[in-house]
Amino acid sequence: MEYNNLTYATVSIDDLPKVDFSQVGETSEDTIRKSLDLTKFILKWSVEPTFIADGTIIPNGLYTHVECLELMQTSIWTSEDN
């Protein structure tokens, strides 16, 4: 998988039941990355999912691979104990 060609999004955990995992890089809610406070999660895709395009889910933010890696290093996503 070419990660640099993917779009990454942070999404509210409340939207998790609305995700069609056949349209994204994750396979189920068991494979998503969740924020430490469990209020957000990350999705990635190469083609915009219909649930994003039609507004069913509105991401909190959109990122490139590099930007997402930087975001994952913040205290919202990674414990300082790691």
Side-chain angles (χ1 to χ4, degrees):
M1 179 177 293
E2 178 59 48
Y3 295 104
N4 290 326
N5 293 331
L6 299 176
T7 299
Y8 295 78
T10 54
V11 179
S12 170
I13 202 75
D14 295 333
D15 288 327
L16 187 54
K18 301 174 190 173
V19 174
D20 177 351
F21 285 98
S22 71
Q23 298 183 39
V24 294
E26 297 73 22
T27 57
S28 73
E29 68 180 78
D30 296 327
T31 62
I32 59 170
R33 172 83 181 259
K34 296 177 186 170
S35 61
L36 294 177
D37 66 2
L38 304 177
T39 62
K40 299 177 188 74
F41 65 98
I42 298 287
L43 290 176
K44 64 181 174 287
W45 62 80
S46 58
V47 176
E48 185 175 54
T50 57
F51 57 83
I52 299 288
D54 70 11
T56 299
I57 293 177
I58 299 172
N60 301 105
L62 296 175
Y63 306 91
T64 66
H65 180 68
V66 170
E67 291 168 336
C68 190
L69 289 175
E70 292 171 358
L71 181 65
M72 293 302 101
Q73 296 305 311
T74 65
S75 61
I76 296 170
W77 298 93
T78 301
S79 170
E80 292 181 17
D81 297 335
N82 289 343

